[in-house]
Amino acid sequence: MSDTPFGFGLPPEEPENGDEGKKKDPAGGGQGSGGPSPTNPFGFGEGADNPFAAMFGSLNPNDLGAAFQQLGQMLSYEGGPVNWDMAKQIARQAVSQGTQDGTKDRSVGPAERTAVEEAVRLADLWLDSVTSLPSGASTAVAWSRAEWVEATLPAWQQLVDPVAERVGLAMGDVLPEEMQAMAGPLIGMMRSMGGAMFGQQIGQAVGVLAGEVVGSTDIGLPLGPAGKAALLPLNIETFGKDLGVPKEEVRLYLALREAAHQRLFAHVPWLRSHLFGAVEAYARGIKVDTSKLEDVVGQFDPTHPEQLQDALQQGMFQPEDTAEQKASLARLETALALVEGWVDAVVHEAASRRLTSADALRETLRRRRASGGPAEQTFATLIGLQLRPRRLRDASRLWASLTDARGVDGRDSLWEHPDMLPTATDLDDPDGFVHREQLDFSELDKMLGEAAGGGKPNLDKDKGSGKDDQGAEGDKDNEGDKDQ
């Protein structure tokens, strides 16, 4: 877990090249401008004099109209804890600027769409032989980066709103109760600004992430619509450019991973709510440094809205060091490791016999996750969680051992109930878990279902059994009469 769980740490020192570094990218897209980067996806600090530069551009006279218009939107916002309209606008702007290597977004052509559809179709066919879970993708789509942004924003909203909500509530609690009525307009303005600030930073993060991801499940969570396997042809091309692997194999391997994720989320009905619930539980344990917030409220000047950003930037959020917070973090980390480990094991089993580059691609993806690319950094910044590659490898080994010991059906049956899954302790001792006798929850679920029905099924069953017994005895008597 990162020390500054929401990325609002102290700004780093000025770059050695000073003002020259800032001039290279006045729009906020470079690492010396306060814009997003692979190691700083929210673009905080890094020598930016104006924290609104990424949103307002260089503030030359031609931009002033748009700048004041956006400032007006920020002050007039009355929605939820995050201004998601602004987040989408900022994300789209980041996508249109292109990635640091100069790659610009482009529309997906018919040939690319056909190639993705065929790859997902073949991937599903291969997965049929290595998992008991049926296909979870009703459609396969090829997205541009901009389309990925549009499709995944609802999931980001579900992830981020619980955290941002705590900020909004804290803003109303820092003043004495007798002063809150008098300060109502000021608190309302600060909440609007807070929603806009969150929207700006999240939009930048999602925009950067759109230039890196290859599908809808890269961070182990279902970010896209249910039942829709999605790949990004442009990013797949960039990903495979220096690997020395045929692009068809790269696309097919990534399609296998996307299709495997889709199967898991489609046919384990409790999994999505389990993961998002763990994120929300962890967010509830985040506390706001009210002393810093009180200083901001007491000195807030509406003509200098960057004061609020400065406060956010200087570490206002801290995770509570409680047993509940640690438990929710462990629950989330373990669940995500199990998802990624299962996908890794299943895809390797399907691909290793058919793709000569399967081992190389597997290791490349593992190292990509371990190096803390934009996907991991963004996720860590948003909810304070950084996936540990050691857990992913341990989970993959455990699932592979389960396949050897219990077969495909025995392995996949563990997804029937969350209490049947391995724990963090089991990842440390996979052999112990593999050979441990597992509980059968089917009878328990049946009993709970009957209890929810008021006991009627049991009574009916008893009555039916009596009648059946009598009927059976009568039949025996009749048979005896016949024999006589």
Side-chain angles (χ1 to χ4, degrees), residues 188-256:
M189 182 181 298
M190 289 190 64
R191 286 179 175 172
S192 296
M193 294 295 298
M197 293 296 185
F198 267 104
Q200 178 194 2
Q201 305 306 332
I202 293 166
Q204 294 230 13
V206 172
V208 172
L209 191 58
E212 178 75 11
V213 295
V214 295
S216 69
T217 55
D218 279 33
I219 65 170
L221 290 172
L223 296 179
K228 185 171 289 188
L231 294 176
L232 282 71
L234 175 58
N235 291 355
I236 292 175
E237 180 181 327
T238 302
F239 170 77
K241 182 171 57 177
D242 299 323
L243 296 180
V245 177
K247 62 180 181 180
E248 293 80 10
E249 289 197 17
V250 174
R251 180 171 54 238
L252 183 52
Y253 192 88
L254 296 175
L256 281 165

Side-chain angles (χ1 to χ4, degrees), residues 458-478:
N458 286 331
L459 295 175
D460 293 340
K461 182 177 181 180
D462 292 338
K463 291 179 182 179
S465 298
K467 291 179 180 179
D468 289 342
D469 290 340
Q470 294 175 1
E473 292 175 359
D475 290 341
K476 290 181 180 179
D477 293 339
N478 292 336

Side-chain angles (χ1 to χ4, degrees), residues 78-287:
E78 297 180 352
V82 178
N83 187 332
W84 287 102
D85 290 336
M86 178 169 290
K88 181 167 71 171
Q89 179 183 354
I90 297 297
R92 293 295 297 265
Q93 289 176 359
V95 166
S96 66
Q97 291 171 2
T99 54
Q100 291 183 352
D101 63 2
T103 305
K104 297 284 187 178
D105 193 22
R106 65 168 187 253
S107 299
V108 178
E112 290 176 319
R113 295 187 187 280
T114 300
V116 166
E117 292 171 358
E118 292 178 349
V120 173
R121 189 180 303 113
L122 181 57
D124 259 335
L125 183 62
W126 288 4
L127 290 172
D128 284 338
S129 63
V130 297
T131 176
S132 62
L133 300 180
S135 174
S138 56
T139 57
V141 295
W143 283 340
S144 66
R145 293 167 179 172
E147 289 173 322
W148 183 90
V149 168
E150 295 280 351
T152 62
L153 274 179
W156 289 114
Q157 182 172 356
Q158 189 175 352
L159 285 169
V160 176
D161 270 353
V163 180
E165 181 68 30
R166 293 190 62 80
V167 183
L169 293 175
M171 286 181 177
D173 294 338
V174 294
L175 290 178
E177 186 175 352
E178 61 273 12
M179 295 180 60
Q180 288 186 14
M182 297 176 59
L186 176 61
I187 295 298
M189 182 181 298
M190 289 190 64
R191 286 179 175 172
S192 296
M193 294 295 298
M197 293 296 185
F198 267 104
Q200 178 194 2
Q201 305 306 332
I202 293 166
Q204 294 230 13
V206 172
V208 172
L209 191 58
E212 178 75 11
V213 295
V214 295
S216 69
T217 55
D218 279 33
I219 65 170
L221 290 172
L223 296 179
K228 185 171 289 188
L231 294 176
L232 282 71
L234 175 58
N235 291 355
I236 292 175
E237 180 181 327
T238 302
F239 170 77
K241 182 171 57 177
D242 299 323
L243 296 180
V245 177
K247 62 180 181 180
E248 293 80 10
E249 289 197 17
V250 174
R251 180 171 54 238
L252 183 52
Y253 192 88
L254 296 175
L256 281 165
R257 289 184 54 83
E258 178 74 10
H261 276 105
Q262 293 294 335
R263 288 182 181 230
L264 200 56
F265 289 117
H267 299 291
V268 182
W270 54 265
L271 183 56
R272 180 186 175 92
S273 59
H274 179 78
L275 289 171
F276 279 78
V279 173
E280 185 172 354
Y282 184 76
R284 285 197 299 267
I286 295 294
K287 61 182 179 181

